């Protein structure tokens, strides 16, 4: 599948997700940015979408030195979500991921607003809460939303199975390099550089038994996407 087709699938999946999450009563609003931390992760496909947006709208300079602007102890995944699901399904122990709660704000956040809002990573889009996290200290998320989030993350990795997953800043830093972008857009990526991990297809979806029936309509929608 070529990159244009992957980007089209990504857009359609995000539209499905937005319709799904709009059914919930959420406290999320503009200038509420407690969830905008340096720990956000994404796939290379999502990073490429951001790059393409900045190339068209201006603002590519935001990518320069992105990794240097982010907290040095930002979250960097050791494995992708599909790899983790695979290990768990086989009865193995996935590595314990360490997330630094003191990693500070996302490096692109300006005055508590996201300049990339329309093309923000799915990990930002799916971070929602029924109550303001600033008041509660945590996100109050319906367990079914958590399950749906995992399923979307797994499918997003699946369509970018030849790409990488990593911290937002590391993926953007990687794609800021024209040679890396060229290798990515032509499907010629090799082993990931330090800080990024390889994606893989979905082998098993992480759906708890009590959500299996409820999630079927969404799965049907995702699987009916055609480009
Ligand atoms: S997830 Fe929490 S911090 Fe983020 S916008 Fe929603 S209420 Fe605000
Ligand atoms: S990319 Fe935007 S929405 Fe995501 S964490 Fe950064 S500022 Fe927040």
């Amino acid at each position: 599948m070529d990159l244009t087709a992957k980007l089209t699938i990504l857009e359609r999946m995000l539209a499905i997700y937005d319709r799904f999450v709009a059914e919930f009563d959420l406290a999320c609003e503009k200038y509420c940015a407690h969830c905008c931390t340096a720990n956000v992760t994404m796939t290379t496909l999502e990073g490429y979408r951001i790059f393409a947006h900045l190339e068209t709208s201006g603002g590519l300079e935001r990518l320069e030195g992105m990794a240097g602007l982010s907290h040095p102890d930002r979250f960097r995944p050791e494995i992708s979500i599909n790899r983790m699901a695979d290990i768990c399904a086989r009865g193995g122990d996935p590595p314990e991921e360490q997330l630094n709660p003191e990693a500070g704000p996302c490096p692109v956040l300006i005055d508590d607003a996201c300049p990339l809002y329309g093309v923000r990573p799915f990990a930002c889009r799916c971070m929602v809460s029924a109550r303001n996290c600033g008041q509660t200290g945590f996100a109050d998320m319906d367990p079914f939303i958590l399950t749906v989030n995992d399923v979307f993350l797994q499918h997003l990795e699946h369509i970018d199975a030849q790409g990488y997953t990593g911290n937002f800043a590391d993926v953007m830093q990687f794609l800021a390099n024209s040679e890396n972008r060229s290798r990515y857009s032509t499907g010629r990526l090799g082993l990931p550089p330090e800080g990024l991990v390889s994606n893989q297809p979905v082998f098993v979806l992480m759906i708890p038994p009590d959500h299996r029936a409820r999630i079927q309509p969404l799965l049907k929608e995702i699987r009916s996407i055609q480009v």
Side-chain angles (χ1 to χ4, degrees), residues 35-37 40 106 108-109 113-116 120-121 124 168:
C35 55
C36 288
T37 77
V40 165
C106 171
V108 296
L109 189 67
C114 176
L116 304 173
R120 67 199 185 285
C124 309
F168 172 85

Side-chain angles (χ1 to χ4, degrees), residues 6-22 43 45-46 49-50 117-126 152-153 156 159 218 221-222 225:
K6 291 179 186 177
L7 288 166
T8 302
I9 294 173
L10 171 60
E11 294 294 342
R12 293 187 186 167
M13 286 189 60
L14 295 177
I16 293 170
Y17 184 81
D18 285 350
R19 283 197 299 276
F20 158 75
V21 86
T43 61
L45 183 64
E46 295 171 277
R49 176 173 176 256
I50 293 171
Y117 191 76
V119 290
R120 67 199 185 285
F122 180 76
C124 309
R125 192 176 290 254
C126 76
F152 271 77
L153 285 166
L156 290 178
I159 57 175
L218 270 176
E221 265 199 273
I222 293 171
I225 295 174

Side-chain angles (χ1 to χ4, degrees), residues 27-29 32 34-35 127-129 131-133:
C28 304
E29 58 185 356
C32 184
H34 308 284
C35 55
M127 187 66 198
V128 295
S129 178
R131 291 181 290 165
N132 186 298
C133 304

Side-chain angles (χ1 to χ4, degrees), residues 13 16-17 19-20 23 144 148 151-152 155 205 207 210-225:
M13 286 189 60
I16 293 170
Y17 184 81
R19 283 197 299 276
F20 158 75
E23 293 171 10
F144 186 61
V148 170
V151 164
F152 271 77
H155 279 87
L205 287 172
I207 306 174
D210 55 336
H211 290 162
R212 284 189 189 145
R214 189 176 171 192
I215 205 167
Q216 289 311 312
L218 270 176
L219 284 178
K220 196 173 167 193
E221 265 199 273
I222 293 171
R223 288 167 180 165
S224 68
I225 295 174

Side-chain angles (χ1 to χ4, degrees), residues 21-223:
V21 86
E23 293 171 10
F24 292 83
D25 191 12
L26 301 172
C28 304
E29 58 185 356
K30 193 168 184 183
Y31 304 121
C32 184
H34 308 284
C35 55
C36 288
T37 77
N39 289 325
V40 165
T41 62
M42 66 177 171
T43 61
T44 32
L45 183 64
E46 295 171 277
Y48 193 90
R49 176 173 176 256
I50 293 171
F51 179 87
H53 166 79
L54 291 175
E55 200 173 33
T56 309
S57 65
L60 276 178
E61 69 282 357
R62 287 205 183 100
L63 302 186
E64 286 167 18
M66 176 70 77
L69 293 173
S70 190
H71 196 288
D73 290 330
R74 59 188 173 274
F75 176 63
R76 287 175 142 180
E78 289 184 38
I79 56 172
S80 71
I81 189 168
N82 284 339
R83 179 88 185 105
M84 184 178 72
D86 200 16
I87 291 172
C88 292
R90 292 167 191 264
D93 286 322
E96 279 199 23
E97 302 271 26
Q98 300 295 329
L99 195 145
N100 176 9
E102 309 294 331
C106 171
V108 296
L109 189 67
I110 300 174
D111 297 333
D112 283 339
C114 176
L116 304 173
Y117 191 76
V119 290
R120 67 199 185 285
F122 180 76
C124 309
R125 192 176 290 254
C126 76
M127 187 66 198
V128 295
S129 178
R131 291 181 290 165
N132 186 298
C133 304
Q135 291 164 7
T136 59
F138 60 89
D140 178 2
M141 206 182 294
D142 186 297
F144 186 61
I145 297 181
L146 278 173
T147 297
V148 170
N149 288 354
D150 282 342
V151 164
F152 271 77
L153 285 166
Q154 289 196 258
H155 279 87
L156 290 178
E157 181 185 338
H158 180 85
I159 57 175
D160 194 28
Q162 283 79 39
Y164 305 144
T165 288
N167 182 283
F168 172 85
D170 295 313
V171 173
M172 291 317 305
Q173 187 78 42
F174 177 78
L175 291 173
N177 179 290
S178 60
E179 172 61 21
N180 289 341
R181 269 196 323 282
S182 168
R183 287 193 296 118
Y184 175 65
S185 60
T186 52
R188 291 181 293 117
L189 286 184
L191 290 174
E194 190 188 345
L196 302 179
V197 298
S198 293
N199 290 342
Q200 68 170 53
V202 170
F203 294 119
V204 58
L205 287 172
M206 299 195 298
I207 306 174
D210 55 336
H211 290 162
R212 284 189 189 145
R214 189 176 171 192
I215 205 167
Q216 289 311 312
L218 270 176
L219 284 178
K220 196 173 167 193
E221 265 199 273
I222 293 171
R223 288 167 180 165

